[in-house]
Amino acid sequence: MTNSSRRMSAYISKQHLGLLPALVAMLAALLALPAFAQEAPDALVKRVSEEAIAIIKSDPKVQAGDQARIRELIETKLAPHFDIDRMTALAAGRAYRTATPEQKKELGEQFKTLLIRTYSSALNQYRDQTIEAKPLRADPNATDVTVRTEVIRPGQPPVQIDYSMTKTPSGWKAYDVIVGGVSLVTNYRDEFTQQVQAGGIDGLIRSLQAKNGAGAAK
Amino acid sequence: MDKLTMRRMLVVFAAAALLAGCTATPSREASSADDPFEPMNRVSYRVHEVVDGQIIRPFAQAYVDYTPRLVQQGIRNFFGNIDDLFSFVNAVLQNKPEKAGHDLGRFITNTGFGLLGIIDIASDAGVPKGEEDFGQTFGVWGIPQGPYLFIPVFGPTTVRDGTGWVVRAYTSPIGYISDVPLRNVLIGIGAVDLRASALQAESLVNQAAIDRYTFIRRAYLQRRRYLVYDGQPPPLKEDDE
């Protein structure tokens, strides 16, 4: 091993000196990538929600209730931090295992659209309130954590918003949001089960498409 | 809510139950173990959507749109103060002295120095608002939630939580006001305030739900379970993962 690596470095230094800067740059990029991706989950939630709130408070289009702008904001700022495939699998339960890859893809797309629409309305409602991220109490090596945040509403009990998060190669991603004890995934599981019982996976996809289509027409 | 509202509610409920008995299709299976009366509840829900959509919701929306913010906040605080009193009683019944202390402190402060609760001084001082109620107390005592019920106008509940509301209706200080017109006005305003407070959540449900009935049921049952366990519910066993 030592021998071969020595031979390798000799090879690089003698024959391909010109490549060294490129190799160093590549190595640096590879080292920097995981450092960025491994932003702690609570820090991630805090940063993303603070950014989102800052935009909500300062963006005139968002303040005017421009749904297209709000959706774009969520699509670029929030959606990348969610594990939509896992959410879909959890919500669809048993039926997901028998679905074809095409069905899975379409189901994921439709579910994502529905979730994004729902977040647009939720964000719009909480825009005057403060969101506090609570410090994470978890093993630093954990790969599955719950990040707790609290929406402070004057004169009313605070609402807890918890994010179930999992570690992926591209950083921590949320696979469930629990608002005041109501888990979105659990709620959708009932809905999905009911639709699958009535019309199979295709029936579920059709009802999601109809729901999303109706939302767009509004 | 007082005895009168309660009685009215029971009449509506009885009527809806009768209606359900006539029209419910027995072939429809209950989709959740928590909801053995689903066919009847779905009929109640349809009745509710009509009555609420035509009369109650527009009225509550008009109240939100045309009443000054400050007045609305004062009304919300006034009824919230009564909630604090009940939260105190239930914190005591659940043997949670710290919560009981906060609730009682809030009630005394806001009643005495906040114009009978219209100004929420205690929140400004940072005393957290409790949300204990009789339904939760029964849950803490180990009484099962019983079947899920959807009652027109009143909304989602369970046998356990509904019983809690009956207890509350019979013990609410508003019911003891001897001036009948004043009492009725207060009950009316309280009902409008309660309905108005649900408007935002409702618009979210409309956005999120494929089938509103199923969505509301699961959200309600999850929320109540969470409250009974004070925000730390033990994980449910999942058959799918």
Side-chain angles (χ1 to χ4, degrees), chain A residues 94 117 121 125 155 160 180-183 186-191 194-195 211, chain B residues 200 203 206-211 214-215 218-219 222-223 226 238-240:
Chain A
R94 214 173 278 131
R117 292 256 169 85
S121 346
Q125 289 190 4
Q160 253 193 50
V182 179
S183 143
T186 305
N187 243 51
Y188 276 113
R189 186 176 301 148
D190 272 23
E191 295 238 284
Q194 184 186 328
Q195 299 297 325
K211 173 82 198 166
Chain B
Q200 281 203 332
S203 81
N206 288 341
Q207 175 53 59
I210 306 171
D211 175 14
T214 315
F215 198 92
R218 184 50 61 207
Q222 282 199 67
R223 172 79 183 152
Y226 171 89
E238 305 285 1
D239 53 350
D240 290 297

PDB file of all heavy atoms in Angstrom, chain A residues 94 117 121 125 155 160 180-183 186-191 194-195 211, chain B residues 200 203 206-211 214-215 218-219 222-223 226 238-240:
ATOM      1  N   ARG A  94     -48.562   0.660   2.723  1.00  0.00           N
ATOM      2  CA  ARG A  94     -48.424  -0.632   2.058  1.00  0.00           C
ATOM      3  C   ARG A  94     -48.559  -0.514   0.544  1.00  0.00           C
ATOM      4  O   ARG A  94     -47.855  -1.182  -0.193  1.00  0.00           O
ATOM      5  CB  ARG A  94     -49.492  -1.573   2.610  1.00  0.00           C
ATOM      6  CG  ARG A  94     -49.052  -3.010   2.694  1.00  0.00           C
ATOM      7  CD  ARG A  94     -50.102  -3.834   3.417  1.00  0.00           C
ATOM      8  NE  ARG A  94     -50.007  -3.753   4.857  1.00  0.00           N
ATOM      9  CZ  ARG A  94     -51.058  -3.508   5.665  1.00  0.00           C
ATOM     10  NH1 ARG A  94     -52.252  -3.300   5.178  1.00  0.00           N
ATOM     11  NH2 ARG A  94     -50.894  -3.461   6.970  1.00  0.00           N
ATOM     12  N   ARG A 117     -48.451  23.777  -1.777  1.00  0.00           N
ATOM     13  CA  ARG A 117     -49.613  24.665  -1.694  1.00  0.00           C
ATOM     14  C   ARG A 117     -50.021  24.885  -0.239  1.00  0.00           C
ATOM     15  O   ARG A 117     -50.323  25.997   0.178  1.00  0.00           O
ATOM     16  CB  ARG A 117     -50.808  24.020  -2.420  1.00  0.00           C
ATOM     17  CG  ARG A 117     -50.647  23.929  -3.895  1.00  0.00           C
ATOM     18  CD  ARG A 117     -51.491  24.990  -4.581  1.00  0.00           C
ATOM     19  NE  ARG A 117     -51.143  25.059  -5.969  1.00  0.00           N
ATOM     20  CZ  ARG A 117     -51.664  24.259  -6.896  1.00  0.00           C
ATOM     21  NH1 ARG A 117     -52.579  23.386  -6.570  1.00  0.00           N
ATOM     22  NH2 ARG A 117     -51.282  24.362  -8.140  1.00  0.00           N
ATOM     23  N   SER A 121     -50.066  28.500   2.189  1.00  0.00           N
ATOM     24  CA  SER A 121     -51.122  29.087   3.020  1.00  0.00           C
ATOM     25  C   SER A 121     -50.685  29.166   4.469  1.00  0.00           C
ATOM     26  O   SER A 121     -50.979  30.147   5.147  1.00  0.00           O
ATOM     27  CB  SER A 121     -52.429  28.299   2.934  1.00  0.00           C
ATOM     28  OG  SER A 121     -52.438  27.403   1.890  1.00  0.00           O
ATOM     29  N   GLN A 125     -50.171  32.533   6.967  1.00  0.00           N
ATOM     30  CA  GLN A 125     -50.890  32.748   8.225  1.00  0.00           C
ATOM     31  C   GLN A 125     -49.962  33.075   9.383  1.00  0.00           C
ATOM     32  O   GLN A 125     -50.341  33.759  10.316  1.00  0.00           O
ATOM     33  CB  GLN A 125     -51.708  31.498   8.571  1.00  0.00           C
ATOM     34  CG  GLN A 125     -52.893  31.317   7.651  1.00  0.00           C
ATOM     35  CD  GLN A 125     -53.819  30.231   8.127  1.00  0.00           C
ATOM     36  OE1 GLN A 125     -53.626  29.644   9.181  1.00  0.00           O
ATOM     37  NE2 GLN A 125     -54.839  29.959   7.332  1.00  0.00           N
ATOM     38  N   GLY A 155     -50.863  36.306  23.403  1.00  0.00           N
ATOM     39  CA  GLY A 155     -52.160  36.045  24.018  1.00  0.00           C
ATOM     40  C   GLY A 155     -52.729  34.670  23.753  1.00  0.00           C
ATOM     41  O   GLY A 155     -53.845  34.373  24.152  1.00  0.00           O
ATOM     42  N   GLN A 160     -46.320  24.343  18.756  1.00  0.00           N
ATOM     43  CA  GLN A 160     -45.063  23.639  18.501  1.00  0.00           C
ATOM     44  C   GLN A 160     -45.055  23.101  17.082  1.00  0.00           C
ATOM     45  O   GLN A 160     -46.023  22.478  16.650  1.00  0.00           O
ATOM     46  CB  GLN A 160     -44.945  22.457  19.455  1.00  0.00           C
ATOM     47  CG  GLN A 160     -43.924  22.674  20.539  1.00  0.00           C
ATOM     48  CD  GLN A 160     -43.622  21.381  21.265  1.00  0.00           C
ATOM     49  OE1 GLN A 160     -43.344  20.362  20.665  1.00  0.00           O
ATOM     50  NE2 GLN A 160     -43.685  21.441  22.578  1.00  0.00           N
ATOM     51  N   GLY A 180     -48.415  21.313  16.159  1.00  0.00           N
ATOM     52  CA  GLY A 180     -49.282  21.215  17.339  1.00  0.00           C
ATOM     53  C   GLY A 180     -49.741  19.794  17.599  1.00  0.00           C
ATOM     54  O   GLY A 180     -50.871  19.569  18.019  1.00  0.00           O
ATOM     55  N   GLY A 181     -48.854  18.830  17.353  1.00  0.00           N
ATOM     56  CA  GLY A 181     -49.178  17.433  17.610  1.00  0.00           C
ATOM     57  C   GLY A 181     -49.809  16.720  16.427  1.00  0.00           C
ATOM     58  O   GLY A 181     -50.061  15.527  16.488  1.00  0.00           O
ATOM     59  N   VAL A 182     -50.102  17.465  15.354  1.00  0.00           N
ATOM     60  CA  VAL A 182     -50.735  16.845  14.194  1.00  0.00           C
ATOM     61  C   VAL A 182     -49.647  16.556  13.146  1.00  0.00           C
ATOM     62  O   VAL A 182     -49.103  17.474  12.540  1.00  0.00           O
ATOM     63  CB  VAL A 182     -51.833  17.747  13.594  1.00  0.00           C
ATOM     64  CG1 VAL A 182     -52.453  17.094  12.373  1.00  0.00           C
ATOM     65  CG2 VAL A 182     -52.894  18.045  14.643  1.00  0.00           C
ATOM     66  N   SER A 183     -49.360  15.276  12.959  1.00  0.00           N
ATOM     67  CA  SER A 183     -48.357  14.878  11.971  1.00  0.00           C
ATOM     68  C   SER A 183     -48.982  14.869  10.580  1.00  0.00           C
ATOM     69  O   SER A 183     -50.019  14.254  10.354  1.00  0.00           O
ATOM     70  CB  SER A 183     -47.813  13.491  12.316  1.00  0.00           C
ATOM     71  OG  SER A 183     -47.574  12.742  11.141  1.00  0.00           O
ATOM     72  N   THR A 186     -49.046  11.306   9.083  1.00  0.00           N
ATOM     73  CA  THR A 186     -50.111  10.479   9.656  1.00  0.00           C
ATOM     74  C   THR A 186     -51.465  10.893   9.106  1.00  0.00           C
ATOM     75  O   THR A 186     -52.302  10.051   8.772  1.00  0.00           O
ATOM     76  CB  THR A 186     -50.109  10.603  11.197  1.00  0.00           C
ATOM     77  OG1 THR A 186     -48.810  10.282  11.676  1.00  0.00           O
ATOM     78  CG2 THR A 186     -51.121   9.681  11.828  1.00  0.00           C
ATOM     79  N   ASN A 187     -51.677  12.197   9.000  1.00  0.00           N
ATOM     80  CA  ASN A 187     -52.958  12.662   8.475  1.00  0.00           C
ATOM     81  C   ASN A 187     -53.162  12.212   7.037  1.00  0.00           C
ATOM     82  O   ASN A 187     -54.238  11.753   6.676  1.00  0.00           O
ATOM     83  CB  ASN A 187     -53.030  14.184   8.562  1.00  0.00           C
ATOM     84  CG  ASN A 187     -54.141  14.622   9.473  1.00  0.00           C
ATOM     85  OD1 ASN A 187     -54.226  14.142  10.601  1.00  0.00           O
ATOM     86  ND2 ASN A 187     -55.008  15.491   8.987  1.00  0.00           N
ATOM     87  N   TYR A 188     -52.114  12.334   6.233  1.00  0.00           N
ATOM     88  CA  TYR A 188     -52.255  11.936   4.832  1.00  0.00           C
ATOM     89  C   TYR A 188     -52.347  10.430   4.681  1.00  0.00           C
ATOM     90  O   TYR A 188     -52.888   9.951   3.690  1.00  0.00           O
ATOM     91  CB  TYR A 188     -51.120  12.516   3.988  1.00  0.00           C
ATOM     92  CG  TYR A 188     -51.421  13.934   3.561  1.00  0.00           C
ATOM     93  CD1 TYR A 188     -50.679  15.000   4.033  1.00  0.00           C
ATOM     94  CD2 TYR A 188     -52.485  14.194   2.699  1.00  0.00           C
ATOM     95  CE1 TYR A 188     -50.978  16.295   3.662  1.00  0.00           C
ATOM     96  CE2 TYR A 188     -52.789  15.493   2.323  1.00  0.00           C
ATOM     97  CZ  TYR A 188     -52.035  16.539   2.808  1.00  0.00           C
ATOM     98  OH  TYR A 188     -52.342  17.823   2.444  1.00  0.00           O
ATOM     99  N   ARG A 189     -51.818   9.678   5.656  1.00  0.00           N
ATOM    100  CA  ARG A 189     -51.913   8.225   5.539  1.00  0.00           C
ATOM    101  C   ARG A 189     -53.379   7.785   5.506  1.00  0.00           C
ATOM    102  O   ARG A 189     -53.771   6.954   4.703  1.00  0.00           O
ATOM    103  CB  ARG A 189     -51.174   7.540   6.684  1.00  0.00           C
ATOM    104  CG  ARG A 189     -51.125   6.035   6.512  1.00  0.00           C
ATOM    105  CD  ARG A 189     -50.306   5.383   7.582  1.00  0.00           C
ATOM    106  NE  ARG A 189     -48.954   5.891   7.571  1.00  0.00           N
ATOM    107  CZ  ARG A 189     -48.200   6.016   8.655  1.00  0.00           C
ATOM    108  NH1 ARG A 189     -48.675   5.692   9.824  1.00  0.00           N
ATOM    109  NH2 ARG A 189     -46.973   6.475   8.561  1.00  0.00           N
ATOM    110  N   ASP A 190     -54.197   8.394   6.384  1.00  0.00           N
ATOM    111  CA  ASP A 190     -55.627   8.077   6.387  1.00  0.00           C
ATOM    112  C   ASP A 190     -56.271   8.429   5.050  1.00  0.00           C
ATOM    113  O   ASP A 190     -57.081   7.681   4.513  1.00  0.00           O
ATOM    114  CB  ASP A 190     -56.343   8.878   7.485  1.00  0.00           C
ATOM    115  CG  ASP A 190     -56.316   8.145   8.815  1.00  0.00           C
ATOM    116  OD1 ASP A 190     -55.423   7.302   8.986  1.00  0.00           O
ATOM    117  OD2 ASP A 190     -57.182   8.419   9.664  1.00  0.00           O
ATOM    118  N   GLU A 191     -55.913   9.604   4.550  1.00  0.00           N
ATOM    119  CA  GLU A 191     -56.503  10.061   3.303  1.00  0.00           C
ATOM    120  C   GLU A 191     -56.099   9.153   2.141  1.00  0.00           C
ATOM    121  O   GLU A 191     -56.925   8.777   1.320  1.00  0.00           O
ATOM    122  CB  GLU A 191     -56.026  11.488   2.998  1.00  0.00           C
ATOM    123  CG  GLU A 191     -56.504  12.490   3.999  1.00  0.00           C
ATOM    124  CD  GLU A 191     -57.306  13.573   3.328  1.00  0.00           C
ATOM    125  OE1 GLU A 191     -56.708  14.446   2.677  1.00  0.00           O
ATOM    126  OE2 GLU A 191     -58.539  13.508   3.436  1.00  0.00           O
ATOM    127  N   GLN A 194     -57.732   5.688   2.232  1.00  0.00           N
ATOM    128  CA  GLN A 194     -59.122   5.770   1.789  1.00  0.00           C
ATOM    129  C   GLN A 194     -59.207   5.837   0.256  1.00  0.00           C
ATOM    130  O   GLN A 194     -60.018   5.142  -0.357  1.00  0.00           O
ATOM    131  CB  GLN A 194     -59.724   7.027   2.409  1.00  0.00           C
ATOM    132  CG  GLN A 194     -61.187   7.238   2.137  1.00  0.00           C
ATOM    133  CD  GLN A 194     -61.632   8.599   2.671  1.00  0.00           C
ATOM    134  OE1 GLN A 194     -61.107   9.073   3.674  1.00  0.00           O
ATOM    135  NE2 GLN A 194     -62.556   9.217   1.997  1.00  0.00           N
ATOM    136  N   GLN A 195     -58.349   6.646  -0.358  1.00  0.00           N
ATOM    137  CA  GLN A 195     -58.379   6.792  -1.822  1.00  0.00           C
ATOM    138  C   GLN A 195     -57.917   5.506  -2.508  1.00  0.00           C
ATOM    139  O   GLN A 195     -58.465   5.128  -3.535  1.00  0.00           O
ATOM    140  CB  GLN A 195     -57.485   7.965  -2.271  1.00  0.00           C
ATOM    141  CG  GLN A 195     -57.900   9.323  -1.722  1.00  0.00           C
ATOM    142  CD  GLN A 195     -59.282   9.756  -2.187  1.00  0.00           C
ATOM    143  OE1 GLN A 195     -59.686   9.469  -3.306  1.00  0.00           O
ATOM    144  NE2 GLN A 195     -60.027  10.403  -1.315  1.00  0.00           N
ATOM    145  N   LYS A 211     -57.346  17.521  -7.046  1.00  0.00           N
ATOM    146  CA  LYS A 211     -57.187  18.486  -5.951  1.00  0.00           C
ATOM    147  C   LYS A 211     -56.226  19.614  -6.364  1.00  0.00           C
ATOM    148  O   LYS A 211     -56.508  20.780  -6.172  1.00  0.00           O
ATOM    149  CB  LYS A 211     -56.639  17.733  -4.734  1.00  0.00           C
ATOM    150  CG  LYS A 211     -56.264  18.595  -3.555  1.00  0.00           C
ATOM    151  CD  LYS A 211     -57.448  18.945  -2.725  1.00  0.00           C
ATOM    152  CE  LYS A 211     -57.132  20.140  -1.844  1.00  0.00           C
ATOM    153  NZ  LYS A 211     -58.315  20.727  -1.249  1.00  0.00           N
TER     154      LYS A 211
ATOM    155  N   GLN B 200     -58.989  30.385  10.333  1.00  0.00           N
ATOM    156  CA  GLN B 200     -57.673  30.205   9.714  1.00  0.00           C
ATOM    157  C   GLN B 200     -57.354  28.729   9.529  1.00  0.00           C
ATOM    158  O   GLN B 200     -56.915  28.313   8.446  1.00  0.00           O
ATOM    159  CB  GLN B 200     -56.594  30.849  10.583  1.00  0.00           C
ATOM    160  CG  GLN B 200     -56.519  32.350  10.407  1.00  0.00           C
ATOM    161  CD  GLN B 200     -55.152  32.878  10.799  1.00  0.00           C
ATOM    162  OE1 GLN B 200     -54.471  32.296  11.630  1.00  0.00           O
ATOM    163  NE2 GLN B 200     -54.760  33.978  10.197  1.00  0.00           N
ATOM    164  N   SER B 203     -59.224  27.286   6.627  1.00  0.00           N
ATOM    165  CA  SER B 203     -58.740  27.546   5.276  1.00  0.00           C
ATOM    166  C   SER B 203     -57.542  26.639   4.966  1.00  0.00           C
ATOM    167  O   SER B 203     -57.344  26.225   3.822  1.00  0.00           O
ATOM    168  CB  SER B 203     -58.394  29.021   5.096  1.00  0.00           C
ATOM    169  OG  SER B 203     -57.134  29.309   5.623  1.00  0.00           O
ATOM    170  N   ASN B 206     -59.001  23.252   4.063  1.00  0.00           N
ATOM    171  CA  ASN B 206     -59.516  23.294   2.685  1.00  0.00           C
ATOM    172  C   ASN B 206     -58.395  23.141   1.682  1.00  0.00           C
ATOM    173  O   ASN B 206     -58.548  22.509   0.641  1.00  0.00           O
ATOM    174  CB  ASN B 206     -60.254  24.610   2.423  1.00  0.00           C
ATOM    175  CG  ASN B 206     -61.583  24.646   3.142  1.00  0.00           C
ATOM    176  OD1 ASN B 206     -62.105  23.609   3.530  1.00  0.00           O
ATOM    177  ND2 ASN B 206     -62.109  25.842   3.339  1.00  0.00           N
ATOM    178  N   GLN B 207     -57.250  23.761   1.995  1.00  0.00           N
ATOM    179  CA  GLN B 207     -56.109  23.682   1.091  1.00  0.00           C
ATOM    180  C   GLN B 207     -55.493  22.290   1.106  1.00  0.00           C
ATOM    181  O   GLN B 207     -55.110  21.764   0.076  1.00  0.00           O
ATOM    182  CB  GLN B 207     -55.071  24.744   1.501  1.00  0.00           C
ATOM    183  CG  GLN B 207     -53.791  24.696   0.728  1.00  0.00           C
ATOM    184  CD  GLN B 207     -54.011  24.745  -0.774  1.00  0.00           C
ATOM    185  OE1 GLN B 207     -54.589  25.679  -1.309  1.00  0.00           O
ATOM    186  NE2 GLN B 207     -53.581  23.705  -1.458  1.00  0.00           N
ATOM    187  N   ALA B 208     -55.427  21.677   2.286  1.00  0.00           N
ATOM    188  CA  ALA B 208     -54.631  20.462   2.445  1.00  0.00           C
ATOM    189  C   ALA B 208     -55.388  19.175   2.146  1.00  0.00           C
ATOM    190  O   ALA B 208     -54.806  18.210   1.681  1.00  0.00           O
ATOM    191  CB  ALA B 208     -54.081  20.408   3.873  1.00  0.00           C
ATOM    192  N   ALA B 209     -56.691  19.150   2.424  1.00  0.00           N
ATOM    193  CA  ALA B 209     -57.402  17.869   2.486  1.00  0.00           C
ATOM    194  C   ALA B 209     -57.917  17.392   1.133  1.00  0.00           C
ATOM    195  O   ALA B 209     -58.390  18.192   0.329  1.00  0.00           O
ATOM    196  CB  ALA B 209     -58.559  17.979   3.468  1.00  0.00           C
ATOM    197  N   ILE B 210     -57.807  16.089   0.912  1.00  0.00           N
ATOM    198  CA  ILE B 210     -58.482  15.482  -0.240  1.00  0.00           C
ATOM    199  C   ILE B 210     -59.941  15.251   0.159  1.00  0.00           C
ATOM    200  O   ILE B 210     -60.856  15.591  -0.557  1.00  0.00           O
ATOM    201  CB  ILE B 210     -57.823  14.139  -0.618  1.00  0.00           C
ATOM    202  CG1 ILE B 210     -56.321  14.325  -0.830  1.00  0.00           C
ATOM    203  CG2 ILE B 210     -58.490  13.558  -1.875  1.00  0.00           C
ATOM    204  CD1 ILE B 210     -55.567  13.018  -0.988  1.00  0.00           C
ATOM    205  N   ASP B 211     -60.126  14.636   1.339  1.00  0.00           N
ATOM    206  CA  ASP B 211     -61.463  14.438   1.896  1.00  0.00           C
ATOM    207  C   ASP B 211     -61.464  15.134   3.257  1.00  0.00           C
ATOM    208  O   ASP B 211     -60.805  14.681   4.181  1.00  0.00           O
ATOM    209  CB  ASP B 211     -61.758  12.935   2.036  1.00  0.00           C
ATOM    210  CG  ASP B 211     -63.088  12.677   2.717  1.00  0.00           C
ATOM    211  OD1 ASP B 211     -63.895  13.627   2.837  1.00  0.00           O
ATOM    212  OD2 ASP B 211     -63.326  11.532   3.141  1.00  0.00           O
ATOM    213  N   THR B 214     -62.221  13.077   6.573  1.00  0.00           N
ATOM    214  CA  THR B 214     -61.132  12.221   7.053  1.00  0.00           C
ATOM    215  C   THR B 214     -60.004  13.059   7.631  1.00  0.00           C
ATOM    216  O   THR B 214     -59.424  12.728   8.668  1.00  0.00           O
ATOM    217  CB  THR B 214     -60.566  11.372   5.898  1.00  0.00           C
ATOM    218  OG1 THR B 214     -61.656  10.836   5.163  1.00  0.00           O
ATOM    219  CG2 THR B 214     -59.703  10.254   6.391  1.00  0.00           C
ATOM    220  N   PHE B 215     -59.696  14.153   6.949  1.00  0.00           N
ATOM    221  CA  PHE B 215     -58.581  15.011   7.376  1.00  0.00           C
ATOM    222  C   PHE B 215     -58.854  15.609   8.757  1.00  0.00           C
ATOM    223  O   PHE B 215     -57.998  15.573   9.640  1.00  0.00           O
ATOM    224  CB  PHE B 215     -58.375  16.118   6.343  1.00  0.00           C
ATOM    225  CG  PHE B 215     -57.027  16.779   6.443  1.00  0.00           C
ATOM    226  CD1 PHE B 215     -55.956  16.322   5.700  1.00  0.00           C
ATOM    227  CD2 PHE B 215     -56.834  17.867   7.279  1.00  0.00           C
ATOM    228  CE1 PHE B 215     -54.712  16.924   5.785  1.00  0.00           C
ATOM    229  CE2 PHE B 215     -55.597  18.473   7.369  1.00  0.00           C
ATOM    230  CZ  PHE B 215     -54.535  18.006   6.621  1.00  0.00           C
ATOM    231  N   ARG B 218     -58.659  12.862  11.606  1.00  0.00           N
ATOM    232  CA  ARG B 218     -57.320  12.452  12.044  1.00  0.00           C
ATOM    233  C   ARG B 218     -56.608  13.605  12.748  1.00  0.00           C
ATOM    234  O   ARG B 218     -55.905  13.400  13.744  1.00  0.00           O
ATOM    235  CB  ARG B 218     -56.508  11.931  10.850  1.00  0.00           C
ATOM    236  CG  ARG B 218     -55.134  11.394  11.183  1.00  0.00           C
ATOM    237  CD  ARG B 218     -55.106  10.383  12.319  1.00  0.00           C
ATOM    238  NE  ARG B 218     -55.890   9.202  12.040  1.00  0.00           N
ATOM    239  CZ  ARG B 218     -56.449   8.432  12.976  1.00  0.00           C
ATOM    240  NH1 ARG B 218     -56.301   8.716  14.251  1.00  0.00           N
ATOM    241  NH2 ARG B 218     -57.171   7.388  12.637  1.00  0.00           N
ATOM    242  N   ALA B 219     -56.772  14.821  12.217  1.00  0.00           N
ATOM    243  CA  ALA B 219     -56.118  15.974  12.846  1.00  0.00           C
ATOM    244  C   ALA B 219     -56.660  16.169  14.265  1.00  0.00           C
ATOM    245  O   ALA B 219     -55.886  16.389  15.210  1.00  0.00           O
ATOM    246  CB  ALA B 219     -56.339  17.234  12.018  1.00  0.00           C
ATOM    247  N   GLN B 222     -55.375  13.324  16.588  1.00  0.00           N
ATOM    248  CA  GLN B 222     -53.943  13.495  16.866  1.00  0.00           C
ATOM    249  C   GLN B 222     -53.718  14.624  17.863  1.00  0.00           C
ATOM    250  O   GLN B 222     -52.943  14.509  18.804  1.00  0.00           O
ATOM    251  CB  GLN B 222     -53.184  13.854  15.576  1.00  0.00           C
ATOM    252  CG  GLN B 222     -52.918  12.712  14.648  1.00  0.00           C
ATOM    253  CD  GLN B 222     -51.787  13.071  13.686  1.00  0.00           C
ATOM    254  OE1 GLN B 222     -50.649  13.228  14.098  1.00  0.00           O
ATOM    255  NE2 GLN B 222     -52.103  13.219  12.419  1.00  0.00           N
ATOM    256  N   ARG B 223     -54.420  15.733  17.610  1.00  0.00           N
ATOM    257  CA  ARG B 223     -54.256  16.907  18.462  1.00  0.00           C
ATOM    258  C   ARG B 223     -54.669  16.609  19.899  1.00  0.00           C
ATOM    259  O   ARG B 223     -53.976  16.978  20.861  1.00  0.00           O
ATOM    260  CB  ARG B 223     -55.103  18.052  17.890  1.00  0.00           C
ATOM    261  CG  ARG B 223     -55.200  19.278  18.736  1.00  0.00           C
ATOM    262  CD  ARG B 223     -53.978  20.146  18.624  1.00  0.00           C
ATOM    263  NE  ARG B 223     -54.063  21.304  19.510  1.00  0.00           N
ATOM    264  CZ  ARG B 223     -53.011  21.915  20.017  1.00  0.00           C
ATOM    265  NH1 ARG B 223     -51.796  21.513  19.712  1.00  0.00           N
ATOM    266  NH2 ARG B 223     -53.162  22.940  20.807  1.00  0.00           N
ATOM    267  N   TYR B 226     -52.167  14.429  21.692  1.00  0.00           N
ATOM    268  CA  TYR B 226     -50.998  15.250  21.994  1.00  0.00           C
ATOM    269  C   TYR B 226     -51.241  16.095  23.242  1.00  0.00           C
ATOM    270  O   TYR B 226     -50.386  16.217  24.113  1.00  0.00           O
ATOM    271  CB  TYR B 226     -50.738  16.111  20.767  1.00  0.00           C
ATOM    272  CG  TYR B 226     -49.718  17.212  20.876  1.00  0.00           C
ATOM    273  CD1 TYR B 226     -48.385  16.977  20.595  1.00  0.00           C
ATOM    274  CD2 TYR B 226     -50.110  18.517  21.183  1.00  0.00           C
ATOM    275  CE1 TYR B 226     -47.458  18.004  20.623  1.00  0.00           C
ATOM    276  CE2 TYR B 226     -49.198  19.550  21.221  1.00  0.00           C
ATOM    277  CZ  TYR B 226     -47.871  19.291  20.942  1.00  0.00           C
ATOM    278  OH  TYR B 226     -46.962  20.316  20.973  1.00  0.00           O
ATOM    279  N   GLU B 238     -46.662   1.613  14.339  1.00  0.00           N
ATOM    280  CA  GLU B 238     -47.010   1.763  12.927  1.00  0.00           C
ATOM    281  C   GLU B 238     -46.972   0.394  12.261  1.00  0.00           C
ATOM    282  O   GLU B 238     -46.031  -0.365  12.454  1.00  0.00           O
ATOM    283  CB  GLU B 238     -46.005   2.684  12.213  1.00  0.00           C
ATOM    284  CG  GLU B 238     -45.841   4.034  12.867  1.00  0.00           C
ATOM    285  CD  GLU B 238     -47.012   4.961  12.598  1.00  0.00           C
ATOM    286  OE1 GLU B 238     -47.964   4.551  11.927  1.00  0.00           O
ATOM    287  OE2 GLU B 238     -46.965   6.109  13.073  1.00  0.00           O
ATOM    288  N   ASP B 239     -48.001   0.093  11.482  1.00  0.00           N
ATOM    289  CA  ASP B 239     -47.966  -1.194  10.781  1.00  0.00           C
ATOM    290  C   ASP B 239     -47.194  -1.072   9.471  1.00  0.00           C
ATOM    291  O   ASP B 239     -46.757  -2.051   8.893  1.00  0.00           O
ATOM    292  CB  ASP B 239     -49.368  -1.748  10.544  1.00  0.00           C
ATOM    293  CG  ASP B 239     -50.268  -0.764   9.849  1.00  0.00           C
ATOM    294  OD1 ASP B 239     -49.856   0.421   9.716  1.00  0.00           O
ATOM    295  OD2 ASP B 239     -51.354  -1.130   9.436  1.00  0.00           O
ATOM    296  N   ASP B 240     -47.017   0.169   9.016  1.00  0.00           N
ATOM    297  CA  ASP B 240     -46.266   0.383   7.781  1.00  0.00           C
ATOM    298  C   ASP B 240     -45.148   1.349   8.058  1.00  0.00           C
ATOM    299  O   ASP B 240     -45.308   2.308   8.772  1.00  0.00           O
ATOM    300  CB  ASP B 240     -47.172   0.996   6.695  1.00  0.00           C
ATOM    301  CG  ASP B 240     -48.182   0.002   6.201  1.00  0.00           C
ATOM    302  OD1 ASP B 240     -47.770  -1.003   5.647  1.00  0.00           O
ATOM    303  OD2 ASP B 240     -49.390   0.251   6.388  1.00  0.00           O
TER     304      ASP B 240
END
